[in-house]
Amino acid sequence: MLILTSFLLIFYLVVILAFVFYVTLADDEDQGWVGYFSRLCFTKIPSILSNALKFVVGDWIFDKISKLYDYVVHQRNPILQLAYLIIINSAFLSWIIFGAPELPTYFVGVEHNYIAYVWVGLAQYSFFLASTVEPGRITKKNVKCFSHQPYDGLMFIDGLYCKTCELPKPARSKHCSLCGYCVPMFDHHCVWINQCVGELNYRYFLLFLLLNSTFLFYASIALYFVIISEVYERKLFSAVFVDRNNGMEFKATTWMVIQYIITNKLLLVLLMVLAFVMGCAIFFFLVFHLVLLFRGLTTNETYKWDSVIRLHGRLVQAYKLYLKKQADGTLTPEEWKAITHQESSDVEKKEAEINDEMKEENTEERNNDDKSNSNADHNGTHHGHANNK
């Protein structure tokens, strides 16, 4: 049981760390260890596992699994909302059953039972606000109200229209293909609250991060002192143990005390680690968004600027290489062709990245057009049969 629990805990920690790495550092284009690790974890390994799964289960089952994966990952759904509620409420229920009856302890008073109820209530209330208050939906009636951000002429250009909504695109807005509408001051689509984070609900999203990270840190600290209280109450570090085999006496070591705690307080230890790891992950995102807030940027704009900066760096390196080769007189026609080809391909790639948003909108528009054409063809066929009769 202990081995299985430890394995699940390690797996959970690896998933959390991989998610944080994916959000913060992962870059497929990087030529260093970050790029290699990104391609290994998020391209090569998933491809190998996908092919292996297809070989084992067959095409029909693999197709069903692929559709389920597409629904979970690429479509708007409440799965992670339910996961949040299940995790936080089952953990709190475990505390009520196994932790609360131990209060008061050497370090923790009975009043923390009531404080815990207040904290978990505030955390879930902030989750409710972040999940229900819309980020803002740009329509014909309110597009002027959301057009208060200045256009920079580079990333946000005046006069552009959303091809799906057929509405002017206010500066810093973006069409979300998952939500199906344009969001003012678009930050990102958060799967945990099953909607976008934008101008009207950004404050509630920050409140959600603040209250949940604070609650989880409080829970992990309270659990730590509940666990450690028994060590001081029983004076385990100064206790003397007797070996049953030879009758020899020896004092407890730190490792023996840790083993005792894990054996007798395993569930509380797991809850403590779970709360601490989740608290660190959520707190990291809170700090990340506070830094963006201080810089006057959104998550969407940060990713766009990062890609622009990387492109600029590659172009500068290509230009410096050209100048050095030209000064040395060692620039061959083949090298010049390679440098200009790389520069051209980088520019084209950047243009493609900038137009990704428009491509998503065009795809959604084509889907809508296909549905309309299908209905029109159906109606035309129906009238044709009626006329023949």
Side-chain angles (χ1 to χ4, degrees), residues 82-199:
L82 295 174
Y84 166 84
L85 293 174
I86 291 173
I87 291 173
I88 194 170
N89 285 294
S90 60
F92 187 66
L93 181 61
S94 300
W95 158 257
I96 294 174
I97 296 174
F98 299 101
E102 296 194 15
L103 300 187
T105 64
Y106 189 84
F107 289 112
V108 183
V110 70
E111 67 276 3
H112 286 276
N113 271 332
Y114 309 103
I115 296 175
Y117 279 98
V118 174
W119 267 118
V120 75
L122 290 174
Q124 295 195 62
Y125 178 66
S126 67
F127 174 74
F128 172 78
L129 289 177
S131 300
T132 56
V133 177
E134 286 194 350
R137 187 191 300 252
I138 298 177
T139 63
K140 292 182 179 180
K141 294 181 179 180
N142 62 18
V143 64
K144 290 185 178 180
C145 297
F146 288 120
S147 301
H148 54 82
Q149 295 290 334
Y151 293 95
D152 59 7
L154 177 64
M155 193 172 296
F156 303 107
I157 302 173
D158 192 8
L160 293 181
Y161 278 74
C162 174
K163 293 186 178 181
T164 303
C165 300
E166 298 181 349
L167 295 172
K169 292 176 67 70
R172 311 183 75 179
S173 67
K174 184 179 183 298
H175 183 89
C176 178
S177 58
L178 294 176
C179 295
Y181 54 83
C182 287
V183 178
M185 284 286 291
F186 176 86
D187 188 88
H188 70 288
H189 183 93
C190 180
V191 293
W192 289 100
I193 62 175
N194 196 28
Q195 67 171 347
C196 289
V197 177
E199 183 172 333

Side-chain angles (χ1 to χ4, degrees), residues 134-320:
E134 286 194 350
R137 187 191 300 252
I138 298 177
T139 63
K140 292 182 179 180
K141 294 181 179 180
N142 62 18
V143 64
K144 290 185 178 180
C145 297
F146 288 120
S147 301
H148 54 82
Q149 295 290 334
Y151 293 95
D152 59 7
L154 177 64
M155 193 172 296
F156 303 107
I157 302 173
D158 192 8
L160 293 181
Y161 278 74
C162 174
K163 293 186 178 181
T164 303
C165 300
E166 298 181 349
L167 295 172
K169 292 176 67 70
R172 311 183 75 179
S173 67
K174 184 179 183 298
H175 183 89
C176 178
S177 58
L178 294 176
C179 295
Y181 54 83
C182 287
V183 178
M185 284 286 291
F186 176 86
D187 188 88
H188 70 288
H189 183 93
C190 180
V191 293
W192 289 100
I193 62 175
N194 196 28
Q195 67 171 347
C196 289
V197 177
E199 183 172 333
L200 300 185
N201 68 344
Y202 190 71
R203 67 189 73 180
Y204 300 112
F205 176 73
L206 290 180
L207 181 66
F208 165 70
L209 296 179
L210 174 63
L211 290 181
N212 277 268
S213 60
T214 307
F215 163 64
L216 291 168
F217 280 140
Y218 160 77
S220 61
I221 294 172
L223 284 165
Y224 170 79
F225 282 109
V226 169
I227 294 169
I228 206 69
S229 290
E230 186 167 351
V231 176
Y232 285 87
E233 289 171 354
R234 293 174 175 264
K235 300 180 180 179
L236 295 182
F237 283 114
S238 59
V240 177
F241 294 87
V242 178
D243 192 330
R244 295 180 180 180
N245 296 324
N246 53 29
M248 292 182 61
E249 296 183 352
F250 55 91
K251 289 186 177 181
T253 62
T254 302
W255 176 241
M256 291 174 60
V257 173
I258 292 174
Q259 286 182 310
Y260 173 85
I261 291 174
I262 293 177
T263 302
N264 293 275
K265 305 287 184 182
L266 178 60
L267 183 58
L268 296 183
V269 170
L270 293 177
L271 287 177
M272 178 188 70
V273 175
L274 176 68
F276 180 74
V277 173
M278 289 185 64
C280 288
I282 296 177
F283 181 74
F284 170 82
F285 288 113
L286 174 63
V287 173
F288 173 74
H289 279 279
L290 290 177
V291 171
L292 292 184
L293 190 64
F294 177 78
R295 296 172 58 190
L297 294 172
T298 64
T299 303
N300 179 53
E301 294 163 1
T302 302
Y303 290 152
K304 286 185 176 181
W305 276 115
D306 287 343
S307 63
V308 170
I309 292 172
R310 286 197 299 269
L311 172 62
H312 177 263
R314 289 195 296 269
L315 294 178
V316 169
Q317 289 178 358
Y319 182 67
K320 287 182 178 180

Side-chain angles (χ1 to χ4, degrees), residues 68 71-72 76-84 86 191-192 194:
L68 177 62
Y71 171 75
V72 173
R76 191 178 181 184
N77 62 79
I79 293 177
L80 287 182
Q81 284 180 300
L82 295 174
Y84 166 84
I86 291 173
V191 293
W192 289 100
N194 196 28

